[in-house]
Amino acid sequence: MTAEDLDALLSNHEEIVFARTSPQQKLIIVEAFQRSGQIVAVTGDGVNDSPALKKADIGIAMGIAGSDVSKEAADMILLDDNFASIVTGVEEGRLIFDNLK
């Protein structure tokens, strides 16, 4: 799939899920969403995920199963490897931000 094909796919779908992607595919997807002006979060646990974690607006590494390299590249580390913790963290962060206004 070319970059243009991916851009067209993203512009024609309001919701889209990518699963079982390779590290290189993650990076391509991050770049495509950023080209369209989106804010991008990426999860990863391996050394090969590090480029996408670094390129994303917020990189999220797994704290238990994640490699040291992915943790270094990430902006956030999930200490319990539970994706529900991302939602909780965002909600708490929004509360803190609102309180600072």
Side-chain angles (χ1 to χ4, degrees):
M1 178 178 284
T2 67
E4 293 80 22
D5 291 338
L6 183 55
D7 291 342
L9 179 73
L10 297 178
S11 67
N12 291 325
H13 296 283
E14 193 168 309
E15 295 180 10
I16 191 164
V17 174
F18 294 96
R20 307 291 299 168
T21 57
S22 71
Q24 181 61 28
Q25 290 167 328
K26 282 185 180 184
L27 185 57
I28 291 168
I29 293 165
V30 167
E31 291 170 344
F33 273 110
Q34 288 177 332
R35 275 194 306 276
S36 70
Q38 301 295 317
I39 304 298
V40 182
V42 171
T43 60
D45 61 0
V47 172
N48 293 334
D49 293 328
S50 296
L53 289 169
K54 197 70 166 169
K55 180 78 174 172
D57 296 293
I58 181 164
I60 306 166
M62 302 298 123
I64 298 170
S67 69
D68 289 339
V69 174
S70 66
K71 291 176 191 176
E72 284 292 321
D75 300 297
M76 179 193 306
I77 300 172
L78 289 180
L79 297 177
D80 59 2
D81 287 7
N82 183 351
F83 288 103
S85 298
I86 297 171
V87 176
T88 303
V90 169
E91 288 171 346
E92 290 180 13
R94 287 180 177 165
L95 288 171
I96 292 168
F97 183 77
D98 288 342
N99 288 336
L100 293 175
K101 284 185 179 179

